[in-house]
Amino acid sequence: MSSTETALSIFALGGMNEIGKNMYVVQYEDDMVVIDCGNKFPDESLLGIDLIIPDISYLEENKDKVRALIVTHGHEDHIGGIPFFLKKLNVPVYGTRFTLGLIELKLKEHKILRETDLHEINANSKLNFGEMNLEFFKVTHSIPDCLGILFRTPEGNVVHTGDFKFDLTPASNEHSDIHKMAEIGKEGVLLLLSESTNAERPGATPSEQMVGSHVTDAFMKADGKIILSTFASNVSRLQQTIDAAKKTNRKLALLGRSMVNVVEVAMERGYLNIPDGMLIDPKQINDLPPERVAILCTGSQGEQMAALSRLSTGDFRGVDILAGDTVILAAGPIPGNEKAVTKIVDNLYALGANVIYGPGSSSGMHVSGHGYQEDLKLMLTLMKPKYLVPVHGEYRMLHHHRLLAESVGVEEGNTFILKNGDVVDIKDGVANHTRKIPTGNTYVDGIGVGDVGEIVLRDRRQLSEDGMLVVVLTMSKTDKKLISGPDTISRGFVFVKNSEDLIKDVNALIKRTINNLDEAESKEWGVIKKHIKKAVGQYLFNQTKKKPMILPIIIEV
């Protein structure tokens, strides 16, 4: 893009038509500022994949223009991709005190903390990149220290809200700076990027205070141990649990690596207040009477290896859930995780536990960190943008956000519902969406990043659904004739002892196929393998309606 065509461009590399892997870019002339770099977790179709992160090849191609990565807050869907991003583009990273604490944990794990350029910012910070001047404003969310960003550019002001809700009685002192937002709106907002997670939910988001009283009530009524599972990053929920444990004279143990790590960061940086002597080692749980113990653990989303899942199957060494213990799920299931959560709840009931759970605020143990419709309308009313780009949501959420915007005065046609890679260009105060940049998903598989593509995944799907058939042939090097075999080995396709006739027919077919090749074809091992695959594949599909992977192996003698 030449700077004469258009001066200001906005696009997403993740976070559009999906929940997760948020990554947005604001570019003015030759300066790009990246907002957030998250991950998302794979569904069952992505066999063996650990994480999905944004494809940043476009940024790598333009790396001399990328000035900074600004992080709005410390949730995984906003910071989970950062280590992988920094290995490719080592740009300065700006975030609040708590957010940087969580990012540092990741960078230590990836052994790149020492070479990373981290800068602490707060709501009063001001940054300049070329002709873009950045300011910040405080927003309330379900993790401490969250910011929205104001980009002042010669074309006009662009605002990114970050994740937010309006909670007038937050559990901590994390109030939204409504006055500053109103001032920004008064000055004029050309384009607003605003999150859309709860755009379908009417009303206003309930206050975090409500949860505090429910947690305390549950602690008062419980007889045995109390196990409370929540997102480790929800520090106000952790504080509510600590306060309830103090009131009921219970000691507190932490289970799960991320819980231990986040509590450490939160205590060290002054976001959590735990009374002296309250924390105990998990090994001490069984030494105390059950009514004196509370446990904070990870796994509220049903993750297989997390603490709650292992407790529910009796697989957590040294800690057992006994009949009469109370288990509280203080987090709503993220869409797609409901099945895994239900399984854990079933297991817990089978162990005799009292389980307090329920979607959203129905159990009283969780409220969303994302604004409902009234919160989104309030943000739009404060900012009064000319243009809206709804972000952070699946298509229906972005669509509902557009309807909300039109209901509070954003002109019809001035909301852009984009896909990842779609670019909004602004020139002389007029926004157009006419071009697209390449983008997609990068898969993290073990230590491999981006080396598993569609072809490997297709093979994994085929192996998982129809198995494989290995055909071993011994052939003469000189006259290219079959000396022995074929030997056919089945794995995950059919049980050989029960399918002897089928295997015999396959072997006969392979012999016929080789004998029918003309002289030129029979000299090329690659051609022989191709013919075997085709003939055997067609035959097996006709016989079994299955398509196993067929691997011919030729041994030359």
Side-chain angles (χ1 to χ4, degrees), residues 64-206:
D64 51 330
K65 296 178 184 172
V66 181
R67 303 287 168 246
L69 171 63
I70 315 269
V71 187
T72 58
H73 66 285
H75 277 147
E76 282 297 314
D77 59 333
H78 296 259
I79 68 169
I82 290 179
F84 307 102
F85 173 86
L86 290 174
K87 285 174 189 176
K88 301 268 179 77
L89 289 168
N90 195 1
V91 298
V93 179
Y94 295 83
T96 54
R97 189 171 157 72
F98 186 64
T99 306
L100 287 185
L102 298 179
I103 291 171
E104 281 174 22
L105 287 175
K106 292 190 168 301
L107 300 182
K108 264 182 205 154
E109 214 174 286
H110 284 259
K111 301 186 171 54
I112 55 168
L113 180 59
R114 285 172 64 182
E115 48 277 22
T116 306
D117 188 10
L118 299 176
H119 300 267
E120 192 179 309
I121 53 172
N122 58 40
N124 302 316
S125 300
K126 292 186 176 180
L127 304 173
N128 299 322
F129 302 104
E131 289 195 67
M132 286 190 283
N133 299 315
L134 276 62
E135 292 178 26
F136 302 89
F137 54 92
K138 226 175 176 5
V139 291
T140 309
H141 185 41
S142 53
I143 187 172
D145 257 8
C146 300
L147 294 176
I149 312 170
L150 163 65
F151 292 80
R152 292 183 197 280
T153 79
E155 274 291 342
N157 292 348
V158 173
V159 172
H160 186 294
T161 63
D163 287 7
F164 73 92
K165 65 175 179 177
F166 289 101
D167 189 343
L168 302 179
T169 53
S172 54
N173 205 13
E174 300 275 333
H175 289 273
S176 305
D177 194 341
I178 296 175
H179 297 288
K180 198 166 184 179
M181 294 181 207
E183 278 166 26
I184 293 167
K186 207 170 179 184
E187 189 186 313
V189 173
L190 175 62
L191 185 141
L192 176 69
L193 295 141
S194 182
E195 75 123 324
S196 316
T197 315
N198 279 334
E200 299 167 280
R201 299 175 78 167
T205 316

Side-chain angles (χ1 to χ4, degrees), residues 526-543:
V527 176
I528 296 172
K529 287 180 180 179
K530 200 165 120 191
H531 280 281
I532 290 172
K533 272 172 141 172
K534 191 177 171 192
V536 174
Q538 278 174 348
Y539 176 76
L540 290 176
F541 185 70
N542 293 339
Q543 295 296 316

Side-chain angles (χ1 to χ4, degrees), residues 21-41:
K21 77 174 176 66
N22 291 285
M23 191 179 212
Y24 310 97
V25 180
V26 178
Q27 176 175 7
Y28 186 81
E29 289 184 342
D30 285 338
D31 299 297
M32 286 186 193
V33 173
V34 181
I35 304 163
D36 294 338
C37 180
N39 66 21
K40 73 174 183 178
F41 294 100

Side-chain angles (χ1 to χ4, degrees), residues 16 40 47 80 83 130 152 225 249 266 295-296 327 354 357 393 413 424 427 478 487 489 528 557:
M16 297 294 205
K40 73 174 183 178
L47 301 162
R152 292 183 197 280
K225 288 197 294 293
N249 197 22
I295 295 168
L296 255 177
V327 180
N354 307 316
Y357 70 102
V424 172
K427 182 125 180 80
T478 48
D487 291 320
I489 303 154
I528 296 172
V557 291

